[in-house]
């Protein structure tokens, strides 16, 4: 497999890569290379058949082919290269038409392949110039031959020489047309498959957006309505201090949930509109995450959950600090959300060969087996936390995206009613 791959790689370098060069340019470059080889073979055969003049004619033709290839491949001037190709081959075929048996000679085959090549590689604007001109030119030659058959001469010493030249030209034309047709068909099928994949990706993206907007419309309304009703109670009704404190706690909880929800939505929306920029650098796990963990600890304490952070202070990874903080915040928030009062959430780190493994483990309600395959997508069913906390389900989707952008991996282990453990693997700084 290595040898064919090397050939494909070198051939791609000769004709130009698919990202930079159009299919017309690549076909023209391929034809130029193939025609140069054919012209070289023709020169040898013509000399062998005693057709020295036609053998020598191949040398300027080869020079023109190589010049056209140079213009198309290295100067990105396909239109000029096509013009030179069309004029040169028409002059060559027209100049030798009557001296080489006219319509009974090989030039008719050459006209066919010229028109075929120009039909394939010529841009739309030039198509209506070169194709009609070629057809008109050939029609003129055939008309002159019809009216003045005495002008037609033969260059062959006998029928055997003519047969060899005709057969050679015929097979060259058929092979070249077959190669171009196969190349076009291959590119067409590739573009067709890419179009199908783009359509599927677009449909999935639209489904994701529709589901997200549907969830957002519902879930933003709920906490905002709750905040509004709590504020109305505080303003309109005389309540005790204990009730006031309880309402304030509920207000804080609703505001925090809404804030986290909006942060994830804004992060996701920004990623959809702009190319995500990742600033990878060598960072300390402990120094990067200690503030994030501290904020989550206060949330955990309100729910009477013990949050433990165990990380070596000299442990360093290759990561984007902002992305890593968002990842850990979402995972810790998720663990707290689905843990019962009195439970424990532990964030710990360990090293395995050249990887750093972050573990966020809780002893909460766990995830059912049928939901695990969809846990990092918006296809998972919406669930409420142990204190009726609710989110759009976007946190884990964002988390997976951001982990993979940092060349990391994320996976989960969970058992219903026993707890969940999320793992994040990042490149470890070893020196």
């Amino acid at each position: 497999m290595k040898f064919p791959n090397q050939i494909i790689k070198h051939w791609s370098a000769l004709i130009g890569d698919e990202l930079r060069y159009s299919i017309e340019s690549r076909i023209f470059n391929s034809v130029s290379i193939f025609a140069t080889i054919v012209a070289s073979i023709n020169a040898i055969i013509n000399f062998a058949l005693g057709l020295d003049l036609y053998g020598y004619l191949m040398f300027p033709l080869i020079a023109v082919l190589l010049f056209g290839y140079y213009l198309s491949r290295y100067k990105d001037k396909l239109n000029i290269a096509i013009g030179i190709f069309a004029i040169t081959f028409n002059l060559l075929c027209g100049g030798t038409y009557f001296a080489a048996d006219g319509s009974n000679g090989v030039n008719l085959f050459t006209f066919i392949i010229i028109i075929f090549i120009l039909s394939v590689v010529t841009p739309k604007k030039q198509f209506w110039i070169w194709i009609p001109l070629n057809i008109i030119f050939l029609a003129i030659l055939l008309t002159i031959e019809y009216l003045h058959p005495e002008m037609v001469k033969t260059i062959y010493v006998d029928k055997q020489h003519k047969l060899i030249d005709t057969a050679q030209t015929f097979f060259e034309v058929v092979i070249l047309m077959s190669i171009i047709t196969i190349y076009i068909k291959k590119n067409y099928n590739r573009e067709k498959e890419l179009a199908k994949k783009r359509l599927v990706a677009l449909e999935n993206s639209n489904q994701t957006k529709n589901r997200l907007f549907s969830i957002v419309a519902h879930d933003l309304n709920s906490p905002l309505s709750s905040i509004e009703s709590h504020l109305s109670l505080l303003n309109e009704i005389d309540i005790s201090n204990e009730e006031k404190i309880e309402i304030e706690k509920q207000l804080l909880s609703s505001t925090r949930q809404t804030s986290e929800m909006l942060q994830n939505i804004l992060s996701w929306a920004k990623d959809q509109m702009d190319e995500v920029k990742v600033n990878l650098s060598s960072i300390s796990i402990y120094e990067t995450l200690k503030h994030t963990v501290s904020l989550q600890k206060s949330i955990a304490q309100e729910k009477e959950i013990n949050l433990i952070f165990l990380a070596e202070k000299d442990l360093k990874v290759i990561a984007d600090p902002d992305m890593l903080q968002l990842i850990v915040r979402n995972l810790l928030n998720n663990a707290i959300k689905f843990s019962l009062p009195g439970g424990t959430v532990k964030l710990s780190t360990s090293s395995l060969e050249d990887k750093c493994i972050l573990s966020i483990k809780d002893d909460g309600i766990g995830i059912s087996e049928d939901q695990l395959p969809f846990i990092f997508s918006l296809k998972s069913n919406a669930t409420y936390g142990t204190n009726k906390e609710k989110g759009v389900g976007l946190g884990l989707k964002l988390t997976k995206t951001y982990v993979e952008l940092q060349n990391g991996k994320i996976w989960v282990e969970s058992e219903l009613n026993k707890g969940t453990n999320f793992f994040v693997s990042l490149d470890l700084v070893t020196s």
Side-chain angles (χ1 to χ4, degrees), residues 211 373-381 393-394 396-397 400:
R211 178 173 171 78
F374 310 107
I375 197 68
F376 295 109
S377 74
L378 289 178
K379 293 180 181 179
S380 59
N381 294 328
L394 192 57
L396 290 178
K397 183 176 176 63
K400 185 176 189 296

Side-chain angles (χ1 to χ4, degrees), residues 340-380:
L340 294 164
T344 299
V345 173
K346 183 167 74 171
L347 167 60
S348 60
T349 60
S350 60
S351 54
L352 180 64
E353 297 178 352
D354 59 344
K355 301 292 181 183
C356 173
I357 311 297
L358 278 75
S359 166
I360 296 89
K361 185 177 182 181
D362 66 68
D363 52 9
I365 60 177
I367 305 166
S368 62
E369 192 173 342
D370 61 326
Q371 285 297 308
L372 281 174
F374 310 107
I375 197 68
F376 295 109
S377 74
L378 289 178
K379 293 180 181 179
S380 59

Side-chain angles (χ1 to χ4, degrees), residues 172-197:
E172 287 170 355
V173 168
V174 169
I175 291 170
L176 188 54
M177 290 179 72
S178 299
I179 290 172
I180 293 172
T181 304
I182 291 169
Y183 193 80
I184 293 171
K185 189 175 180 181
K186 182 180 176 183
N187 278 271
Y188 169 76
N189 289 332
R190 185 187 298 133
E191 289 298 322
K192 190 176 178 181
E193 287 300 315
L194 286 173
K196 285 182 181 178
K197 289 179 181 177

